[in-house]
């Protein structure tokens, strides 16, 4: 009985996708009901726009750095809360709170806390906190990555927690008999056994980072200048601020292709048996 | 032919369901005056927040009360999100009957898309409505010689506001009269830990006001007008380069508050910096007065707010009386509105800026765009400021429209992007000019 899912996917997934593809061959301003077609013009202007390589760079920078920041911490936290003890369960629940908040609310809160004149730094008088966090390009990217990590590390810890609990206890017992210590057990058993979990979690992080929009928009609006103008932000500005729905749709298509490509690449990295049961091999 | 029929049929059906959803009780398409009670109300979208919202709402309420057959339904939006929402609604054919806006390039894009009605004839027939208003306010309402919007509300020139306490603390006696004087007092404020100028740089149009005034003071209004008219390499004019260089000199001299690139205008944090004494001055629209009055406690009442016109630039060609800003706000009628809604809108236009509304704007610290409204200012507690604004606006040799409103939306975005980089010192004045020259004729 796959047809309800198929219908839902067609109506809400495929139809808009085809719509965007069609729009990318138009010069629609977004203001009229009829759509004037213009062939490859929108694609040409998008691909030759110097803003595109920059937006790609920002997107990949945020993707790579947020992956680097999230993955090791998530694994360590996941391993930590996977052990059975009561206070760790309580911690796991507390960790989860950031995930319950909306990105826009988080962004507004951080924006206020980081305000150089009225924020945390100015109120507490701590010089270190009194940076121009969102007003300087590199710092602003750092803040975006920090806030993203702050929100998503709990979620990925949970995935790793599940992964760790899947590892057969017998393996650890055997290792202990052989005299392996904690660190050795982590690197020789836990980490290799988490391979597929790492790939799943990384796929979610990497593909998900392509869609970061609300957080960046509220925090920095793509600024200062264009320091945090990632592809999704660029798409929005082109479409809704400058009324160039054609180029904006072209960027949307590029985003879809990027997401697909990255997901396939990560699958390939994991080997063909990624989706098979991990318990069979023991 | 068949396809056309199908399309018009579906459009009709959509309109019918749309009307039904609005709870329309009268017969559809009823255009007779004084039709059945209720009728289809004209939608009116405008910006939320003080001081404008209650005044606009009040005008609508009085109109609805006086015209039981012509009702207006209000929806309000925050400034930065409003334009996007409006564009989406226009594209989807769901625009309100009455469209609140800034005129200029935005209005032109609506006109080009056939979304708003030509009001030239209506103004010809209702000369009294037209003659009541400042003639300058019709500039941004006019596209290719035709009037597409009703000018409304207040005139809002850009001026410099300052904190008298901060001036006293820094030992600065008088507001600067010239650019060199302005540059010379910057260290006095910085030495006392006060930022010379507040600036909401993340919003970008706030930075643009500096360029508007400097371009005009140094080279006169024609420098920007040349670029607007599509003259080749207009941004490389020596006066333009001089103005762009002066802005970067100001940034380098720590002229602006720390972290200005992360301050947004929508949160009114830039005015807060001024009245809390963290910044001494601010170049901003005259509407700041209303915001400071509403949010700044007793700051204005205690006589701590000062104001002056943008200083002259030594050796500049521009007339120092010239000013930039909003010559008014602008209301257009959606061409998709029903006849009944259009009739309601026009009736509403004729009723606008009555004595009560004028008083409302005056009480909020604004000058209505009504000729001779200065006669009403004498009784206002803000009369000094309001007379200053009336004088600045009515005596200006040239009242320029904000650049981002005058330009097409896509050129405006490129401009704002480059302005942001200029203020971040990421590009030189020459690079700015090159980038902007590339947009000319596009």
């Amino acid at each position: 009985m796959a047809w309800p899912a198929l219908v839902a996917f067609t109506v809400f997934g495929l139809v808009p996708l085809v719509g965007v593809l069609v729009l990318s061959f138009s010069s629609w301003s977004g203001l009229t009901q009829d759509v004037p077609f213009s062939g490859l013009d929108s694609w040409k202007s998008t691909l030759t726009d110097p803003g595109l390589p920059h937006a790609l760079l920002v997107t990949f920078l945020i993707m790579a750095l947020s992956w680097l920041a999230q993955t090791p911490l998530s694994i360590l936290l996941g391993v930590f809360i996977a052990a059975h003890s009561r206070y760790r369960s309580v911690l796991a629940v507390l960790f989860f709170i950031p995930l319950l908040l909306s990105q826009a609310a988080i962004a507004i809160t951080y924006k206020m806390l980081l305000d150089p004149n009225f924020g945390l730094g100015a109120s507490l008088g701590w010089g270190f906190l009194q940076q121009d966090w969102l007003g300087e390009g590199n710092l602003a990217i750092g803040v975006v990555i920090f806030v993203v990590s702050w929100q998503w590390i709990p979620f990925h810890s949970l995935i790793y927690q599940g992964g760790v609990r899947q590892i057969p206890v017998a393996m650890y017992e055997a290792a202990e008999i052989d005299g392996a210590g904690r660190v050795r057990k982590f690197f020789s058993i836990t980490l290799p056994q988490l391979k597929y979990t790492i790939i799943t979690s990384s796929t979610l992080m990497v593909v998900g980072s392509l869609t970061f929009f609300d957080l960046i928009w509220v925090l920095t609006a793509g600024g200062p200048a264009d320091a945090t103008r990632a592809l999704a932000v660029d798409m929005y500005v082109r479409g809704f601020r400058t009324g160039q729905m054609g180029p904006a749709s072209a960027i949307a298509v590029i985003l879809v292709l990027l997401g697909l490509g990255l997901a396939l690449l990560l699958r390939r990295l994991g080997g063909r048996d990624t989706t098979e049961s991990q318990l069979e091999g023991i | 032919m068949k396809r056309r029929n199908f399309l018009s049929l579906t459009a009709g059906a959509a309109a019918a369901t749309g009307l039904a959803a609005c709870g329309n009780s009268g017969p559809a398409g009823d255009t007779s005056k004084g039709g059945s009670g209720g009728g289809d109300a004209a939608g009116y979208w405008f910006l939320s927040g003080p001081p404008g919202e209650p005044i606009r709402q009040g005008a609508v309420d009085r109109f609805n009360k006086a015209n039981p057959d012509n009702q207006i339904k209000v929806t309000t939006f925050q400034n930065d999100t409003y334009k996007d929402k409006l564009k989406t609604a226009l594209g989807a054919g769901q625009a309100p009957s009455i469209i609140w806006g800034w005129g200029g390039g935005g209005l032109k894009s609506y006109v080009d898309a056939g979304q708003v009605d030509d009001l030239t004839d209506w103004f010809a027939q209702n000369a009294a409505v037209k003659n009541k208003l400042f003639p300058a306010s019709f500039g941004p309402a006019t596209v290719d010689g035709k009037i597409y919007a009703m000018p409304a509300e207040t005139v809002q020139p850009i001026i410099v506001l300052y904190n008298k306490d901060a001036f006293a603390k820094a030992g600065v006696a008088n507001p600067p009269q010239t650019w060199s004087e302005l540059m010379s007092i910057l260290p006095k404020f910085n030495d006392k830990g006060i930022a010379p100028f507040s600036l909401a740089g993340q919003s970008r149009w706030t930075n643009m006001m500096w360029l508007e005034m400097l371009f005009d003071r140094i080279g006169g209004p024609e420098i920007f007008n040349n670029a607007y008219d599509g003259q080749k390499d207009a941004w490389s004019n020596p006066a333009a380069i001089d103005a762009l260089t002066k802005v970067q000199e100001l940034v380098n001299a720590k002229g602006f508050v720390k972290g200005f690139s992360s301050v947004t205008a929508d949160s009114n944090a830039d005015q807060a910096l001024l009245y809390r004494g963290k910044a001494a001055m601010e170049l901003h629209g005259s509407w700041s007065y209303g915001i400071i009055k509403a949010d700044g406690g007793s700051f204005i009442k205690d006589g701590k707010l000062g104001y002056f016109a943008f200083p002259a630039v030594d050796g500049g060609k521009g007339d120092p009386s010239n000013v930039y800003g909003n010559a008014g706000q602008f209301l257009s009628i959606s061409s998709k509105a029903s006849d009944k809604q259009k009739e309601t809108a026009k009736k509403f236009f004729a009723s606008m800026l009555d004595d009560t509304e004028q008083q409302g704007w005056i009480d909020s610290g604004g000058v209505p765009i009504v000729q001779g409204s200065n006669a009403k200012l004498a009784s206002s507690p803000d009369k000094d400021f309001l007379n200053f604004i009336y004088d600045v606006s009515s005596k200006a040799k040239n009242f320029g429209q904000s650049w981002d409103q005058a330009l097409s939306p896509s050129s405006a975005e490129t401009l704002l992007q480059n302005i942001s980089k200029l203020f971040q010192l990421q590009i030189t004045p020459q690079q700015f000019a090159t980038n902007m020259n590339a947009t000319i004729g596009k």
Side-chain angles (χ1 to χ4, degrees):
Chain A
M1 290 299 268
W3 66 267
L6 205 67
V7 168
F9 178 68
T10 311
V11 173
F12 298 109
L14 280 181
V15 170
L17 206 60
V18 171
V20 165
L21 190 64
V22 170
L23 277 185
S24 72
F25 294 101
S26 77
S27 60
W28 191 41
S29 66
L31 288 176
T32 51
Q33 270 87 60
D34 43 26
V35 179
F37 286 93
S38 60
L40 287 170
D41 286 0
S42 294
W43 279 96
K44 269 185 207 149
S45 74
T46 308
L47 294 176
T48 54
D49 191 311
L52 184 72
H54 176 80
L56 274 171
L57 180 78
V58 171
T59 308
F60 280 114
L61 200 65
I62 291 177
M63 181 189 289
L65 292 176
S66 64
W67 183 86
L68 271 177
Q70 288 181 73
T71 303
L73 273 170
S74 299
I75 293 177
L76 288 176
L77 272 174
V79 171
F80 175 70
I81 55 178
H84 297 272
S85 76
R86 198 197 290 157
Y87 79 96
R88 290 187 188 183
S89 315
V90 174
L91 269 183
V93 172
L94 284 179
F95 284 162
F96 219 62
I97 290 175
L99 206 65
L100 304 176
L101 306 172
S102 95
Q103 292 219 337
I106 292 175
I108 290 173
T109 312
Y110 270 99
K111 197 172 159 61
M112 288 178 160
L113 286 174
L114 295 173
D115 186 300
N117 299 297
F118 299 115
L120 206 58
S123 311
L124 297 174
W126 291 355
F128 165 71
L129 272 176
Q130 253 171 311
Q131 306 280 339
D132 188 6
W133 292 109
L134 298 170
E136 209 208 295
N138 294 335
L139 280 179
I141 286 199
V143 169
V144 168
I145 288 159
F146 175 82
V147 178
V148 163
S149 308
W150 182 83
Q151 188 182 17
W152 289 104
I153 282 178
F155 173 74
H156 293 282
S157 310
L158 203 76
I159 295 182
Y160 285 114
Q161 180 198 30
V164 171
R165 286 192 177 161
Q166 292 290 315
I167 302 172
V169 187
M171 296 178 91
Y172 289 105
E173 287 167 355
E176 267 164 38
I177 291 169
D178 291 343
R182 273 179 128 174
V183 177
R184 184 69 199 261
K185 276 193 285 182
F186 176 77
F187 282 106
S188 297
I189 302 175
T190 314
L191 214 49
Q193 287 290 315
L194 281 178
K195 183 181 167 195
Y196 299 126
T197 316
I198 293 175
I199 285 166
T200 309
S201 155
S202 299
T203 310
L204 287 173
M205 275 181 207
V206 164
V207 178
S209 74
L210 288 176
T211 62
F212 288 154
F213 168 73
D214 34 6
L215 184 87
I216 299 181
W217 188 249
V218 177
L219 269 179
T220 65
D226 52 6
T228 55
R229 191 161 158 148
L231 268 185
V233 176
D234 199 46
M235 173 181 79
Y236 177 80
V237 171
R238 272 173 214 262
F240 293 95
R241 285 281 149 105
T242 74
Q244 297 172 299
M245 288 294 173
S249 303
I251 294 179
V253 173
I254 294 174
L255 272 173
V256 170
L257 294 178
L258 264 180
L260 274 176
L262 284 166
L264 285 174
L265 186 77
L266 281 162
R267 223 185 112 85
R268 177 76 40 106
L269 281 178
R272 271 158 204 254
D273 49 351
T274 322
T275 45
E276 284 170 17
S277 167
Q278 296 169 37
L279 287 173
E280 275 168 288
I282 346 168
Chain B
M1 197 61 201
K2 218 172 180 182
R3 183 176 153 77
R4 202 190 181 100
N5 278 335
F6 171 73
L7 280 178
S8 57
L9 257 177
T10 46
T17 46
L19 286 176
C22 294
N24 172 36
S25 55
D30 176 15
T31 56
S32 62
K33 280 179 189 170
S36 56
D40 50 347
Y44 175 21
W45 290 6
F46 56 70
L47 296 190
S48 59
E53 187 179 349
I55 301 168
R56 293 174 191 130
Q57 184 70 54
V60 171
D61 290 346
R62 283 195 304 283
F63 177 82
N64 281 345
K65 212 170 164 191
N67 300 277
D69 294 336
N70 301 82
Q71 293 294 298
I72 292 176
K73 204 173 155 285
V74 160
T75 315
T76 62
F77 298 92
Q78 236 201 336
N79 190 340
D80 275 6
T81 54
Y82 172 73
K83 273 191 219 171
D84 300 350
K85 172 78 190 166
L86 184 60
K87 273 183 211 164
T88 316
L90 284 165
Q94 304 285 328
S97 315
I98 304 173
I99 301 168
W100 190 101
W102 293 266
L107 180 64
K108 186 175 183 299
S109 68
Y110 305 157
V111 171
D112 291 345
Q115 292 283 4
V116 291
D117 270 8
D118 181 357
L119 299 175
T120 318
D121 290 344
W122 183 78
F123 275 111
Q125 287 154 19
N126 296 272
V129 178
K130 192 178 179 192
N131 295 336
K132 185 178 162 188
L133 308 174
F134 284 173
S137 65
F138 281 89
T142 309
V143 178
D144 298 333
K146 289 179 183 161
I147 305 170
Y148 287 93
M150 165 83 187
E153 303 185 0
T154 57
V155 62
Q156 300 169 329
I158 298 170
I159 49 164
V160 187
L161 303 144
Y162 71 97
N163 181 330
K164 288 182 180 167
D165 276 358
F167 268 56
K169 225 187 236 173
V172 180
N174 292 309
Q177 299 286 312
T178 63
W179 185 257
S180 48
E181 235 181 283
L182 182 148
M183 292 300 287
S184 72
I185 57 172
L186 299 180
K188 294 189 183 174
F189 292 112
N190 279 324
D191 288 348
K192 296 282 175 206
I194 302 169
F197 282 97
S198 175
L199 181 66
Q202 197 184 91
S203 300
R204 306 183 302 180
W205 56 265
T206 40
N207 306 12
M208 180 185 67
M209 297 191 288
W210 280 93
L211 292 186
E212 289 168 0
M213 296 312 300
L214 276 170
F215 268 57
D216 199 300
R217 289 287 186 269
I218 294 170
E222 52 275 15
I223 306 299
F224 174 72
N225 290 346
N226 288 344
Y228 180 78
D229 292 339
Q231 202 184 90
K232 200 170 171 287
D233 295 335
W235 291 96
S236 306
N237 187 297
I241 299 292
D242 188 14
L244 296 163
T245 310
K246 283 198 160 54
V247 159
Q248 292 201 323
E249 282 169 10
L250 186 60
V251 175
N252 277 323
K254 294 196 170 33
F256 295 110
V257 68
K258 189 178 171 184
F260 67 83
S261 289
S262 54
V263 180
T264 44
D266 263 10
S267 60
N268 297 336
D270 46 340
Q271 282 94 359
L273 286 166
L274 182 74
Y275 60 71
R276 293 205 189 164
K278 295 197 176 212
M281 297 172 273
E282 180 178 23
L283 176 72
H284 212 92
S286 58
W287 61 85
S288 294
Y289 187 86
I291 294 169
I292 296 173
K293 204 178 160 187
D295 299 345
S298 63
F299 185 74
I300 289 181
K301 226 187 284 161
D302 297 345
K304 289 177 183 167
L305 181 76
Y307 34 83
F308 56 96
F310 194 85
V313 173
D314 327 66
K317 278 191 216 136
D319 189 308
S321 77
N322 288 350
V323 74
Y324 268 81
N326 301 334
Q329 289 68 49
F330 298 91
L331 272 53
S332 305
I333 300 179
S334 164
S335 55
K336 302 289 188 301
S338 71
D339 289 347
K340 170 83 176 178
Q341 287 166 332
K342 288 181 184 177
E343 177 208 309
T344 303
K346 284 172 184 165
K347 261 192 169 175
F348 177 61
F349 286 179
S351 80
M352 291 187 84
L353 286 167
D354 59 4
D355 285 343
T356 318
E357 192 189 337
Q358 282 190 49
Q359 198 57 51
W361 289 115
I362 292 170
D363 291 344
S364 79
V367 174
I369 55 164
V370 176
Q371 303 224 45
S373 61
N374 55 339
K376 287 196 177 65
L377 303 179
S379 61
S380 163
D382 309 306
K383 59 176 184 295
D384 293 343
F385 179 77
L386 295 176
N387 276 313
F388 168 70
I389 295 300
Y390 191 91
D391 285 351
V392 166
S393 310
S394 57
K395 287 179 185 160
K397 273 253 173 61
N398 181 63
F399 196 110
Q401 195 191 1
S402 293
W403 289 354
D404 60 339
Q405 306 299 346
L407 291 169
S408 74
S410 73
S411 308
E413 173 60 28
T414 315
L415 173 71
L416 292 170
Q417 188 81 356
N418 278 290
I419 287 177
S420 177
K421 285 185 183 168
L422 183 83
F423 273 72
Q424 286 264 311
L425 307 176
Q426 284 178 7
I427 51 174
T428 64
Q430 282 75 17
Q431 281 167 322
F432 178 95
T434 313
N435 295 350
M436 285 313 295
N437 283 336
T439 69
I440 285 176
K442 274 190 184 166

